[in-house]
């Protein structure tokens, strides 16, 4: 299947229609999905979304994220729901809908805190694509470090390294002392190589040079 701007727009509009009118309290207490096939579908699409992030296929990533948003709204929330909602907020922000993007990003973070599920992925989506809409960018640093630590505790090392990469990227742009940045880059870079995280290591190289 080919993914382009039209597939993104269509999937986004459908997701916006389905979520319209649902208050924060309703989304934070949404029914849970029980159908094994739907649970598997969300998990598989979530994995494909991660692949699209790896491959920098932005249209594919955005389309799949919106499809998963539709699935959890139709069939019930899964353990990936917090990261999906945070990602939905991020995508809204990309389209210029900053208020709605911030709103749903916040709901995703609150859901992650409530359920303790998909915390690293929800934090990465929110603190790299949403939080800076209303808060100073440097305030995203500590939450991303926290997400990195949590990711390693639960075995989600890939997203742990993505969180560390985003942490280093933000550190670079907010004007903090480069000595500290270099120290963290060397530390995270060694860990990325040790875990054979080639994509994250490759993305880090331009900053290290």
């Amino acid at each position: 299947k080919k993914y382009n701007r039209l597939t993104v727009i269509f999937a986004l509009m459908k997701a916006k229609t389905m979520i319209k009118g649902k208050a924060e309290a309703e989304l934070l207490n949404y029914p849970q999905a029980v159908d094994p096939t739907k649970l598997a579908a969300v998990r598989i699409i979530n994995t494909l979304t991660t692949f699209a992030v790896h491959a920098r296929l932005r249209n594919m990533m955005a389309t799949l994220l919106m499809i998963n948003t539709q699935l959890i709204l139709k069939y019930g929330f899964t353990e990936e729901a917090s990261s999906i909602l945070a990602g939905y907020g991020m995508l809204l922000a990309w389209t210029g809908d900053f208020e709605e993007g911030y709103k749903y990003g916040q709901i995703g973070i609150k859901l992650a805190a409530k359920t303790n599920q998909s915390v690293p992925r929800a934090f990465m989506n929110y603190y790299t694509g949403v939080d800076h809409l209303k808060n100073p960018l440097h305030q995203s640093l500590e939450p991303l470090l926290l997400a990195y630590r949590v990711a390693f505790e639960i075995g989600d090392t890939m997203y742990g390294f993505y969180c560390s990469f985003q942490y280093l990227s933000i550190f670079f742009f907010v004007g903090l002392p480069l000595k500290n940045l270099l120290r963290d880059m060397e530390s995270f870079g060694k860990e990325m190589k040790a875990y054979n995280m080639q994509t994250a290591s490759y993305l880090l190289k331009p900053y290290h040079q």
Side-chain angles (χ1 to χ4, degrees):
K1 181 176 181 178
K2 293 184 178 180
Y3 298 92
N4 51 45
R5 288 178 61 86
L6 286 178
T7 62
V8 174
I9 292 171
F10 179 77
L12 175 60
M13 294 306 296
K14 188 172 181 180
K16 290 176 77 170
T17 299
M18 294 177 69
I19 206 169
K20 185 178 180 180
K22 289 180 169 56
E24 177 178 320
E26 180 182 357
L27 291 171
L28 290 176
N29 296 280
Y30 212 72
Q32 297 296 301
V34 293
D35 186 334
T37 59
K38 302 302 185 296
L39 292 168
V42 172
R43 192 174 301 116
I44 291 169
I45 293 172
N46 201 48
T47 300
L48 291 173
T49 304
T50 301
F51 162 77
V53 173
H54 265 289
R56 297 188 178 186
L57 300 173
R58 190 163 179 166
N59 288 331
M60 178 181 177
M61 182 274 288
T63 302
L64 293 175
L65 181 57
M66 292 304 96
I67 291 173
N68 253 356
T69 303
Q70 297 166 27
L71 287 175
I72 64 171
L73 290 170
K74 184 174 182 179
Y75 298 108
F77 279 7
T78 67
E79 65 180 36
E80 297 86 5
S82 62
S83 64
I84 292 170
L85 286 177
Y88 175 69
M90 177 179 66
L91 187 57
L92 288 176
W94 287 356
T95 65
D97 195 349
F98 301 130
E99 287 298 325
E100 289 293 287
Y102 188 80
K103 169 186 170 183
Y104 288 108
Q106 280 272 297
I107 293 174
I109 287 296
K110 290 177 182 178
L111 185 64
K114 178 182 178 182
T115 62
N116 200 31
Q117 293 177 332
S118 288
V119 172
R121 299 176 185 232
F123 271 44
M124 194 188 80
N125 287 341
Y126 177 78
Y127 285 104
T128 61
V130 179
D131 189 70
H132 65 274
L133 297 175
K134 292 194 175 184
N135 300 302
L137 184 58
H138 69 84
Q139 289 186 11
S140 293
L141 292 173
E142 283 302 318
L144 285 169
L145 269 185
L146 173 62
Y148 163 79
R149 297 187 190 106
V150 171
F152 271 75
E153 289 175 2
I154 64 176
D156 194 0
T157 53
M158 181 175 63
Y159 262 82
F161 282 122
Y162 278 146
C163 288
S164 69
F165 166 73
Q166 294 297 346
Y167 164 84
L168 294 170
S169 300
I170 292 173
F171 200 118
F172 183 82
F173 286 111
V174 297
L176 292 172
L178 292 179
K179 181 179 179 180
N180 296 339
L181 175 62
L182 182 60
R183 177 200 64 206
D184 289 344
M185 278 187 173
E186 290 177 348
S187 175
F188 285 127
K190 288 178 181 177
E191 289 188 348
M192 289 173 185
K193 288 181 180 179
Y195 280 85
N196 198 31
M197 298 301 296
Q198 296 179 359
T199 300
S201 182
Y202 174 77
L203 291 172
L204 184 61
K205 282 185 178 179
Y207 296 97
H208 206 177
Q209 293 174 347

